[in-house]
Amino acid sequence: MNTVTTNRRRLRRSFVLGAAFAALSTSFLATAASAQARPVTVHLTKQPLGRALEALARQSGTDILFTPAAVAGMTAPALNGTMLPHAAVERLIAGTRLTVRRDPNGALLVAATVAPPQTVATASRPDDTGPAETADVVVTGYASSLTTALAQKRKATNVIDVVKAEDIGKFPAQNIAEALQRVPGVSIVRDRGEGVFVRIRGLGANFQVVTLNDRSVAVNENVRDSGQSGRQFRFDTLPSELMSAVEVIKSPRASLDEGGIGGIVNLRTFRPLDLKKPVLALSATASSPRLAGAVDPRLSGMASWASPDGKFGALIAGVYDERTTRQDRITGVGWADGKIDTDGNGSLDSATILIPTAIRPTLERENRDRIGINGAVQWKPDDRFELNVDGLWSRLNVAYDELTYSAADGSNLPRGIVPGSAVIENGVLTGATTTASTTQIGRETSVLQYKNWLVGTNAKWQAGGWTIAADGSIGQAYSNTPEPIYRTRLLGTVGATTFDFGKAGDRLPNVTLLNADLSNPALLPGRRIEYRVNDSKDRERAAKLDVTRDLTGVVSALHAGVKYQKRTRAYDRRDINFTSGITGKYFDASYFVPFPVDDFLDGAKGDLPTSWAIPDPAKFLAAATGKEALLAAPLARGDLRNSYAIGEEIVAGYGMADFAFPLGGVAVRGDIGVRYARTRQTSSGYADDGKVALPVTYDKTYDNFLPSLNLVAEVSPDLQMRFAASKVITRPSLADLAPRLTINSSPTVLTAVGGNPELKPFEAWQYDATAEWYFAPGSALVGGAFYKAITTFVFQQTRDFVLDGQTYRLTAPKNGGDAYVAGIEIAYQQLFKMLPAPFDGLGAQANYTHTKTGGTYALATGGTFRDALVDVAKDSFNLTAFYEKDRIGARVSYSWRGNVLRDVGGAGLAANNDSAFGSLDFDMSYKVTPNVTFVVQGINMAGGVQWQYVRDNQFAGYTDYGRTLTAGVRAKF
């Protein structure tokens, strides 16, 4: 324990020294960059932007150049406080298509960010009668979106990153998660080759909060199997074309929703008055996944209208796409600690070693179709009042077909090994010949459906320095099985089997059935047909009121607000096993279909059966007898144990102040506040006493006070530093809070999953320190460090559990001790506009995140141990190079994340760890006319595959979803 304490002290000392070094380095750079920048005191009322810029020029004594046409029709907000003139202009033009830069003679130049390339902007001094021509750097397209996003990051008081619509719509992105993977510190979790969940700064998806237009959203649940997602938002349900921007918020303000230790992902949809003029955008593409060998359409469109006076607007956007997927996998790999009989004399003569217990080669195929619709209406009769009503609806259908068999199942170990055949390397049984093995062939078919909708309205009123905003919303996420899940199983012995396991990343296991052919329909008798219906309904209702008072002086604004949020989750599941007419019966070839592909697992080294007998589900179901009686029977004990309901009511309030003041020639701004949240939680389900499932309900109420501070020091016009400190929480997964017990269906390894309604929320103090150097238009170098000290964190613990006379390995959540997450983050972005044509269209993005974690875990036998946190990637990076010039656009991106730990202590083998993985994507476009663009895209072009491992890099899983190419056309009018 002393070693652990010393290491943590060293880590904290390194963090503090690193922040101090960054501060000293930044101060030195600031002095070199600008010795003359000085903050000024600004007092401006809300007024037309042109007049506000003129008044600022008079108050600051700084020349501010702009054209009247550039600011026509724009309104500047009230602005009070002490700040640099450059920062004051940025705050006045925030949310517009304008940017500001400093001319070598000291003047501030305000110009539009979107204009024809290499345009010379004409600016006029407010106090001059004639024009003064000044060359300006103007960017368009993808570069423009990066520049706008960077400006939003720069203006914020807290630590955020932004992805704008140009980025989301034009890069290979099947959904928002894939668009976010290039944000510093963000990596994604893929399923069937598509991004599903988002990790921020290494922390798993359960540590993130996802909002839509600042509103709480309902969450779809996993209804494919017993592994549930809880609060994790499924990004595959939401098409990227419906979004105008995404904000990744890494340090909170008191006004933001609590619940994300990792961060907040806020999705923003398009609104008509923001587009300022009528827009019609259309897109049609076709994609071809290499493994699936299909061609899938994707259609999207948006129509937006705004009245000529800019007071009323309406918008509708829609997306329809189909996606065919195929995954070649080896899953269900099991390992156990034990002893074996190496010489066949009946005694266990080996030391305790790691023994493989099963593998499951699996071919997974899906047909998906997805629809998304977004609508919005805006009314803004004057500068004082605004009303918005918007809604989003999406539906994802998934037709699933899984073909699998099990081998090397270890059912007759530890004594069923041919004498002398065992190969033991470094305490691991890597190979042997078993005297007899059991094999199961299975096929799972199902139709899964995920529906989402969210409707909300908000109104904002401004007058006399007061702003009052109200928002109300209701949403639902429904996940179900419109066609039941059927698993057709055959099970029997196949005689002697030889296996040879390699290392993860090197090759697949070699498996040979010495006396059996898996393609023989008569090889195995029927076991059963498993039937399951499953649904989850998550409902979210929320209402909030925010009040802001603009002030003059050091405190520039005061904010206060309240929010009421109610969530209900109902999860219901029913399982039935049809055995009559199936169990022990052999079926002829008419009950089977040919194996559908001839290149299964072709991309990997290894020798094992790659085709087998495939049962026809309809014919086997017809052969089963007594189905009607079973379907009409009341819910069984297991069905009740699997089902639950969670209710959660949250009442929150906050107070916050914005401030700005000079400090030794440096303009300091930021916010300070506190948020209070009271959570009332009700968990309902069934407890099993070994004879009957009895209804139970658990109530729990807890309070959280969450202070936050964000500081920005504008050392020079191009250099600023940030510091943030806050207390944050993450509420436990809804599935983890359920009083449930799920028993698996494996024939040989008995496992179970449970919940714990007594779980406490994760709590953490977190700190951020960053230095940001905006060294050129649209360019920046950002470095930062972060530290999160977590208490009462939740982890999955595995122990033995006895039910109905059977011993299961039960995995259930438990609160642990303290933990920490610390790391560094570096981001670089540059537009190479200084290069001679045609190279001035080049640009680059790069970021890297390193995360170190540790936590205290409780042993089932008593005591504690230390290990890294689960579901955390230690390292991740993203590299993007792009070129935009005239009609041509091209982008190449590589996203990588390191190993992800999923079992702690090195001996808990209930979960497999993910090996490092990277994806190479590209986008190429050619503008045929100013309105029409052809595009070609590629995803995972390097053919990256996902490996899993346990302990000393022993093989535990393999997934290959192949490459995807897309081609199409986009038009915008």
Side-chain angles (χ1 to χ4, degrees):
M1 186 61 69
N2 288 336
T3 301
V4 171
T5 303
T6 301
N7 288 338
R8 295 190 67 193
R9 286 175 178 168
R10 287 175 180 168
L11 179 64
R12 288 175 177 151
R13 189 183 301 119
S14 299
F15 179 87
V16 173
L17 289 174
F21 175 78
L24 289 173
S25 301
T26 303
S27 298
F28 173 79
L29 289 171
T31 303
S34 177
Q36 297 179 348
R38 292 290 183 269
V40 296
T41 300
V42 179
H43 299 292
L44 299 172
T45 61
K46 183 177 179 180
Q47 57 189 301
L49 179 56
R51 290 207 297 266
L53 292 173
E54 293 174 1
L56 176 60
R58 291 191 296 270
Q59 294 181 19
S60 65
T62 301
D63 288 334
I64 303 175
L65 311 180
F66 61 93
T67 62
V71 299
M74 299 183 186
T75 302
L79 185 61
N80 296 282
T82 302
M83 64 197 77
L84 291 170
H86 193 283
V89 174
E90 287 185 329
R91 294 175 71 173
L92 291 176
I93 65 176
T96 70
R97 292 180 176 272
L98 299 176
T99 186
V100 59
R101 73 174 183 86
R102 183 178 294 279
D103 188 78
N105 63 13
L108 297 178
L109 308 179
V110 178
T113 57
V114 179
Q118 301 180 0
T119 296
V120 177
T122 301
S124 63
R125 296 173 182 267
D127 54 353
D128 284 352
T129 57
E133 293 188 357
T134 308
D136 202 355
V137 176
V138 181
V139 293
T140 59
Y142 181 70
S144 174
S145 73
L146 296 180
T147 302
T148 307
L150 196 62
Q152 187 173 337
K153 172 184 177 68
R154 185 177 183 178
K155 295 166 192 167
T157 56
N158 55 336
V159 182
I160 70 169
D161 288 285
V162 183
V163 182
K164 305 295 285 187
E166 184 82 10
D167 188 11
I168 294 172
K170 290 193 175 180
F171 207 82
Q174 297 170 104
N175 59 51
I176 297 299
E178 296 183 6
L180 287 177
Q181 65 181 327
R182 296 182 306 284
V183 170
V186 175
S187 60
I188 65 174
V189 178
R190 295 178 183 271
D191 180 49
R192 278 72 181 167
E194 183 171 359
V196 178
F197 301 121
V198 167
R199 293 191 181 104
I200 300 178
R201 289 176 165 176
L203 288 169
N206 57 308
F207 287 95
Q208 328 306 333
V209 168
V210 177
T211 57
L212 180 66
N213 295 324
D214 299 309
R215 297 176 181 133
S216 308
V217 296
V219 178
N220 288 101
E221 187 53 275
N222 173 18
V223 291
R224 175 181 287 128
D225 52 45
S226 56
Q228 296 177 54
S229 303
R231 299 179 191 270
Q232 302 177 31
F233 183 82
R234 294 183 62 99
F235 284 90
D236 59 343
T237 63
L238 196 60
S240 61
E241 288 89 343
L242 300 183
M243 299 297 111
S244 68
V246 185
E247 300 157 351
V248 180
I249 302 167
K250 298 174 181 176
S251 73
R253 289 162 52 95
S255 57
L256 297 174
D257 284 359
E258 74 287 344
I261 292 179
I264 300 172
V265 178
N266 184 42
L267 312 173
R268 294 202 178 276
T269 56
F270 290 96
R271 285 181 171 170
L273 295 186
D274 295 340
L275 298 173
K276 301 187 184 303
K277 58 183 179 180
V279 173
L280 175 63
L282 302 170
S283 173
T285 61
S287 61
S288 176
R290 182 189 66 85
L291 280 181
V295 176
D296 301 321
R298 186 182 185 105
L299 305 172
S300 67
M302 180 180 69
S304 176
W305 174 85
S307 62
D309 58 7
K311 293 182 178 182
F312 183 81
L315 176 149
I316 187 166
V319 179
Y320 173 78
D321 73 319
E322 297 178 5
R323 183 163 180 259
T324 307
T325 72
R326 169 184 158 188
Q327 284 198 144
D328 293 4
R329 305 184 69 192
I330 294 185
T331 185
V333 180
W335 292 87
D337 287 310
K339 297 181 179 181
I340 62 171
D341 175 13
T342 62
D343 56 13
N345 65 0
S347 64
L348 304 181
D349 51 23
S350 74
T352 299
I353 58 176
L354 193 59
I355 304 170
T357 60
I359 65 168
R360 269 203 311 124
T362 303
L363 173 63
E364 296 176 339
R365 297 176 298 162
E366 285 185 349
N367 292 311
R368 300 184 175 200
D369 65 84
R370 177 173 54 186
I371 300 175
I373 300 174
N374 167 232
V377 175
Q378 275 185 290
W379 181 45
K380 192 174 182 180
D382 52 45
D383 290 338
R384 295 181 303 167
F385 181 77
E386 180 178 349
L387 176 68
N388 294 279
V389 179
D390 52 81
L392 183 145
W393 178 87
S394 70
R395 187 223 67 204
L396 171 65
N397 286 337
V398 181
Y400 181 65
D401 191 1
E402 175 192 284
L403 315 176
T404 186
Y405 72 91
S406 64
D409 68 353
S411 59
N412 63 334
L413 296 180
R415 291 181 170 83
I417 294 177
V418 173
S421 68
V423 178
I424 301 174
E425 299 177 353
N426 299 320
V428 179
L429 179 64
T430 62
T433 298
T434 61
T435 56
S437 291
T438 299
T439 290
Q440 177 172 265
I441 286 178
R443 182 174 187 179
E444 176 180 330
T445 58
S446 63
V447 174
L448 314 174
Q449 187 174 83
Y450 305 94
K451 289 182 178 180
N452 293 75
W453 60 264
L454 176 66
V455 177
T457 181
N458 61 63
K460 184 168 66 173
W461 176 79
Q462 295 174 300
W466 289 90
T467 301
I468 300 175
D471 189 284
S473 63
I474 180 170
Q476 178 177 289
Y478 183 55
S479 312
N480 73 316
T481 52
E483 294 185 17
I485 299 171
Y486 288 101
R487 297 187 178 107
T488 307
R489 310 292 200 194
L490 297 91
L491 175 68
T493 59
V494 291
T497 300
T498 296
F499 65 86
D500 174 20
F501 275 67
K503 295 281 189 177
D506 292 341
R507 63 171 176 84
L508 305 180
N510 296 322
V511 178
T512 303
L513 278 64
L514 300 179
N515 302 308
D517 178 7
L518 289 180
S519 297
N520 179 10
L523 177 65
L524 301 176
R527 181 192 179 198
R528 66 191 186 195
I529 297 173
E530 298 168 10
Y531 163 99
R532 177 185 297 172
V533 289
N534 202 174
D535 68 78
S536 170
K537 182 178 289 185
D538 195 55
R539 298 200 68 180
E540 183 81 20
R541 286 142 284 181
K544 65 178 180 177
L545 178 68
D546 298 281
V547 179
T548 298
R549 173 59 174 166
D550 293 325
L551 302 172
T552 60
V554 172
V555 178
S556 56
L558 292 175
H559 308 267
V562 293
K563 180 175 182 179
Y564 173 78
Q565 181 179 348
K566 183 176 182 180
R567 160 171 265 153
T568 56
R569 164 72 62 83
Y571 182 88
D572 296 293
R573 174 175 155 185
R574 185 178 193 186
D575 292 85
I576 301 174
N577 292 330
F578 302 142
T579 57
S580 179
I582 301 294
T583 301
K585 181 179 177 181
Y586 287 85
F587 296 85
D588 61 40
S590 67
Y591 284 81
F592 296 84
V593 297
F595 198 75
V597 301
D598 58 6
D599 57 351
F600 179 62
L601 293 176
D602 268 7
K605 298 177 182 178
D607 185 12
L608 72 170
T610 55
S611 64
W612 53 95
I614 303 302
D616 184 330
K619 291 190 175 181
F620 272 82
L621 185 62
T625 57
K627 300 186 292 294
E628 294 75 12
L630 291 172
L631 291 169
L635 294 177
R637 287 167 52 198
D639 300 327
L640 297 175
R641 290 195 307 259
N642 287 333
S643 303
Y644 62 87
I646 304 291
E648 191 173 72
E649 286 187 274
I650 303 168
V651 178
Y654 74 92
M656 184 178 70
D658 292 335
F659 56 82
F661 58 87
L663 181 63
V666 175
V668 177
R669 59 184 173 90
D671 62 74
I672 186 170
V674 63
R675 186 176 185 87
Y676 164 75
R678 181 176 182 85
T679 306
R680 181 185 177 188
Q681 165 196 307
T682 302
S683 304
S684 302
Y686 290 84
D688 199 311
D689 63 359
K691 298 179 181 179
V692 64
L694 303 172
V696 293
T697 299
Y698 298 86
D699 292 314
K700 186 179 182 66
T701 301
Y702 55 89
D703 302 276
N704 298 101
F705 287 90
L706 307 171
S708 62
L709 169 67
N710 293 285
L711 285 173
V712 181
E714 296 176 344
V715 185
S716 80
D718 299 327
L719 197 60
Q720 65 183 28
M721 297 180 62
R722 297 182 188 272
F723 174 77
S726 59
K727 187 177 184 182
V728 289
I729 64 169
T730 288
R731 295 183 176 90
S733 164
L734 294 171
D736 286 347
L737 290 172
R740 67 186 178 100
L741 180 65
T742 300
I743 304 299
N744 87 330
S745 61
S746 169
T748 55
V749 182
L750 302 178
T751 62
V753 177
N756 181 358
E758 297 297 326
L759 289 176
K760 301 175 182 178
F762 298 80
E763 294 183 350
W765 278 96
Q766 66 177 27
Y767 309 92
D768 287 87
T770 66
E772 302 169 1
W773 180 28
Y774 298 90
F775 56 86
S779 306
L781 179 62
V782 179
F786 56 89
Y787 182 82
K788 303 172 188 284
I790 305 174
T791 59
T792 63
F793 76 97
V794 179
F795 67 96
Q796 300 295 323
Q797 185 179 57
T798 300
R799 60 182 176 85
D800 288 340
F801 170 80
V802 178
L803 177 68
D804 297 338
Q806 295 277 9
T807 300
Y808 295 84
R809 292 291 288 166
L810 172 66
T811 300
K814 180 181 176 67
N815 281 115
D818 64 310
Y820 73 89
V821 180
I824 60 172
E825 204 170 77
I826 301 170
Y828 161 77
Q829 175 177 309
Q830 185 166 10
L831 308 180
F832 296 102
K833 292 296 180 180
M834 79 296 291
L835 296 178
F839 304 106
D840 55 342
L842 288 170
Q845 291 174 278
N847 60 71
Y848 166 74
T849 301
H850 174 75
T851 306
K852 185 175 178 61
T853 68
T856 302
Y857 294 89
L859 293 166
T861 56
T864 61
F865 67 95
R866 298 280 299 182
D867 206 335
L869 299 189
V870 299
D871 207 26
V872 176
K874 182 179 291 185
D875 296 283
S876 63
F877 68 81
N878 302 275
L879 301 173
T880 299
F882 61 91
Y883 179 83
E884 284 189 327
K885 186 72 173 177
D886 300 326
R887 297 173 180 265
I888 298 174
R891 293 185 287 277
V892 178
S893 179
Y894 183 73
S895 301
W896 181 92
R897 60 112 182 100
N899 295 347
V900 175
L901 182 71
R902 293 192 183 277
D903 58 57
V904 298
L909 302 172
N912 300 328
N913 307 307
D914 294 333
S915 296
F917 175 78
S919 179
L920 178 67
D921 307 328
F922 80 88
D923 176 290
M924 298 183 66
S925 63
Y926 181 77
K927 189 171 289 187
V928 183
T929 73
N931 304 106
V932 179
T933 302
F934 285 118
V935 61
V936 178
Q937 301 172 335
I939 297 175
N940 192 34
M941 297 311 295
V945 297
Q946 298 171 318
W947 295 82
Q948 291 182 304
Y949 68 96
V950 298
R951 207 174 290 172
D952 185 25
N953 208 36
Q954 301 300 319
F955 176 85
Y958 171 89
T959 299
D960 178 13
Y961 58 82
R963 305 174 179 88
T964 300
L965 283 172
T966 300
V969 60
R970 296 192 181 105
K972 185 175 182 181
F973 306 94

